[in-house]
């Protein structure tokens, strides 16, 4: 029996290895999230995996946590965070030209250019919203999801400082066109103006509806089945 169990275990391990190998070829990001160490990333604790064991990476995620908590009261998502210090590392785990990528409500990847508090907060904001929405996450249009991430991350590329009563960097009437556009085709590749437009619209909506509490109410109503178009 013992010998037979070893044979079965060996076959199972072989099949698992083939499955992981196939996944790595087809979707390296998914494989890297499942096994960060397989891609040379070190476990820094707290769900953080990085190319280098550097306290700076822990501090980036901790600062992003504080920003999420400052907006929502706490962070409820349990994210796995993969951080690369070199371009080779990021391309190796399936990254492209973006600074960071969020995956549903479970994980995010940060490129060398995205390994900072602002981008980490932006991607964590996506995960937090998706976690809080549950199965209702797909009822929120991309422009709102992205605009909220811009707002929570306090991205100065797309918003005026929080001390300003109107944080839009463009006229609101101009920014509002993003609500009727398809996010994926709203601008040419590499053009991030759509984040500026979305940040303007969402920051205005949040401000006019009572601040972060408006987002809590939005989430509750969406989870209850109310259409997004009837809330925003």
């Amino acid at each position: 029996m013992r010998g037979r169990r070893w044979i079965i275990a060996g076959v199972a391990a072989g099949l698992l290895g083939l499955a992981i190998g196939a996944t790595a070829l087809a979707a390296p990001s998914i494989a890297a999230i499942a096994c960060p160490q397989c891609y040379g990333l070190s476990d820094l604790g707290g769900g953080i995996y990085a190319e280098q064991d550097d306290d700076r990476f822990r501090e980036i995620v901790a600062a992003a946590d504080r920003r999420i908590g400052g907006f929502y009261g706490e962070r409820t998502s349990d994210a796995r965070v993969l951080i690369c210090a070199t371009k080779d590392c990021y391309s190796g785990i399936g990254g492209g030209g973006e600074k960071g990528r969020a995956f549903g409500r479970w994980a995010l990847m940060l490129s060398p250019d995205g390994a900072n508090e602002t981008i980490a907060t932006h991607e964590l904001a996506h995960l937090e919203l998706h976690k809080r929405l549950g199965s209702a996450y797909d009822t929120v249009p991309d422009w709102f999801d992205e605009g909220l991430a811009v707002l929570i991350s306090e991205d100065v590329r797309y918003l005026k400082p929080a001390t300003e009563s109107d944080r839009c960097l463009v006229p609101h009437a101009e920014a509002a066109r993003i609500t009727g556009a398809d996010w994926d085709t709203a601008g040419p590749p590499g053009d991030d103006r759509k984040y500026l437009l979305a940040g303007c619209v969402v920051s205005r909506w949040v401000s006019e509806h009572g601040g972060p509490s408006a987002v809590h109410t939005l989430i509750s109503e969406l989870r209850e089945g109310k259409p997004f178009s009837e809330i925003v």
Side-chain angles (χ1 to χ4, degrees):
M1 290 295 293
R2 181 179 178 181
R4 184 179 179 184
R5 282 198 294 268
W6 276 111
I7 293 172
I8 293 173
V11 171
L15 291 174
L16 178 61
L18 289 173
I20 292 175
T23 300
L25 288 173
S29 296
I30 302 305
I33 291 168
C35 181
Q37 294 95 330
C38 298
Y39 287 76
L41 302 182
S42 300
D43 187 350
L44 306 191
I48 305 169
Y49 298 84
E51 186 179 6
Q52 301 170 355
D53 188 349
D54 189 331
D55 284 340
R56 179 175 66 92
F57 297 135
R58 297 183 181 90
E59 292 165 2
I60 287 169
V61 177
D65 271 345
R66 290 192 291 271
R67 289 201 182 191
I68 297 294
F71 189 89
Y72 282 108
E74 64 175 335
R75 178 161 80 89
T76 61
S77 57
D78 185 19
R80 176 165 283 194
V81 183
L82 278 57
I83 307 176
C84 281
T86 64
K87 292 182 179 180
D88 285 345
C89 164
Y90 194 62
S91 63
I93 62 174
E98 71 283 345
K99 289 181 171 61
R101 292 175 63 187
F103 293 83
R105 67 195 76 167
W106 302 283
L108 64 93
M109 304 185 334
L110 297 176
S111 73
D113 292 337
N116 58 65
E117 180 179 341
T118 299
I119 303 303
T121 304
H122 183 109
E123 302 305 336
L124 276 177
H126 287 312
L127 269 65
E128 185 65 22
L129 178 63
H130 297 172
K131 173 67 180 300
R132 288 173 178 268
L133 284 168
S135 60
Y137 80 94
D138 61 351
T139 64
V140 175
D142 290 336
W143 66 262
F144 190 91
D145 194 353
E146 294 292 352
L148 185 60
V150 167
L151 177 62
I152 295 174
S153 64
E154 293 289 343
D155 198 324
V156 296
R157 295 174 299 171
Y158 310 125
L159 289 174
K160 292 179 182 178
T163 53
E164 299 284 340
S165 57
D166 181 4
R167 305 193 63 183
C168 293
L169 290 172
V170 296
H172 184 268
E174 177 187 343
R177 67 180 177 82
I178 195 66
T179 64
D182 178 82
W183 183 261
D184 292 333
T185 59
D191 180 7
D192 58 0
R193 184 174 175 78
K194 57 188 177 182
Y195 292 93
L196 184 150
L197 305 181
C200 170
V201 175
V202 174
S203 67
R204 175 75 65 87
W205 182 85
V206 171
S207 176
E208 291 180 344
H209 289 79
S213 62
V215 179
H216 285 279
T217 300
L218 169 74
I219 291 169
S220 296
E221 293 181 341
L222 290 174
R223 288 178 66 96
E224 292 168 2
K226 191 172 184 177
F228 179 86
S229 60
E230 293 183 9
I231 306 171
V232 177

